[in-house]
Amino acid sequence: MTVPSAPTDPALKAWHIWLWPVLLVVIAFAMWLLPWADWVPILRDWVQSHGPLGAFVFIAVYVVVVILPLPAAAMSVVGGLAFGWWGYPLSMLGSLLGAIAPYYIARHWLRGPMMRRIDGPKVRAADRAITENGFVFVALLRLTPILPFTAQNWLLGLTEIRPWPYFAATLVGLAPGTLAMVWIGEMGGLASVSSDRTQIVLAAGGLLAFGSFVIWLGRIATKEMQRAGLYKPDAGDP
């Protein structure tokens, strides 16, 4: 059964295609403009002196940011600044924990009233088709910046996608973008502690290559959603 096409937004094409590259460039450029050297060493000293408490505080704040309509990507950058590469598993854990509450609240308290208001053959067919391909749908949605991460969590809770496909696909779909954001934070940390210029250049080159890979993944995921009828582009779009 084919999933009905999603509504078309005339401004969506440019937004979702250019979001990742623009976000990566802007945040990476900020690494060199903002005074990281003034406070990153202080932040890392605080993290080291507090041990597990520092990681717990970071994850707790990350969860709140994910639940509320706040930019979770910025928290991943902070994770790279404060924890270095350890910011990656901590950011992934914060993202996953933050995705739990919206999903279950929408699933148990919002889905029933919402379905009674919009119920119909097309809605039921779309819900059934999405549920049957739950893992693929969630993973593709996480890879594409069509909707903010917070909005995705609430909307996915309105479907019949089961918990395990939801959480597993969330981990898979978020992994590349989160790594890119943590990488940017790690670059800021390297710049703030006067690392060797060669090390910074290598980190920047690696980020550029990986950022290109993330952008490519996002475009592939968007095309797969289009092919499956989960998202319909404007007329004339590639």
Side-chain angles (χ1 to χ4, degrees), residues 178-214:
T178 302
L179 180 57
M181 294 297 104
V182 172
W183 201 324
I184 289 174
E186 171 64 7
M187 279 185 57
L190 290 174
S192 68
V193 297
S194 302
S195 296
D196 181 76
R197 183 178 296 273
T198 301
Q199 187 178 6
I200 297 175
V201 170
L202 289 174
L207 175 63
L208 179 62
F210 187 76
S212 301
F213 174 69
V214 172

Side-chain angles (χ1 to χ4, degrees), residues 69-197:
L70 299 173
M75 284 299 299
S76 297
V77 176
V78 173
L81 286 169
F83 299 93
W85 291 114
W86 277 106
Y88 180 58
L90 294 177
S91 296
M92 290 295 296
L93 181 58
S95 296
L96 184 63
L97 294 177
I100 292 176
Y103 170 78
Y104 278 109
I105 291 173
R107 184 178 182 86
H108 292 290
W109 287 289
L110 301 181
R111 175 176 165 79
M114 182 66 69
M115 290 300 290
R116 284 193 291 271
R117 293 179 64 90
I118 64 174
D119 192 20
K122 289 186 177 180
V123 173
R124 288 194 296 270
D127 189 25
R128 185 165 54 252
I130 290 172
T131 302
E132 290 172 354
N133 302 279
F135 181 90
V136 174
F137 176 78
V138 175
L140 291 176
L141 189 61
R142 298 309 197 190
L143 284 167
T144 60
I146 293 175
L147 290 172
F149 180 57
T150 299
Q152 292 180 20
N153 297 330
W154 290 99
L155 291 176
L156 288 170
L158 298 177
T159 71
E160 288 190 352
I161 293 175
R162 303 184 70 81
W164 285 115
Y166 171 80
F167 294 126
T170 293
L171 284 175
V172 172
L174 288 181
T178 302
L179 180 57
M181 294 297 104
V182 172
W183 201 324
I184 289 174
E186 171 64 7
M187 279 185 57
L190 290 174
S192 68
V193 297
S194 302
S195 296
D196 181 76
R197 183 178 296 273

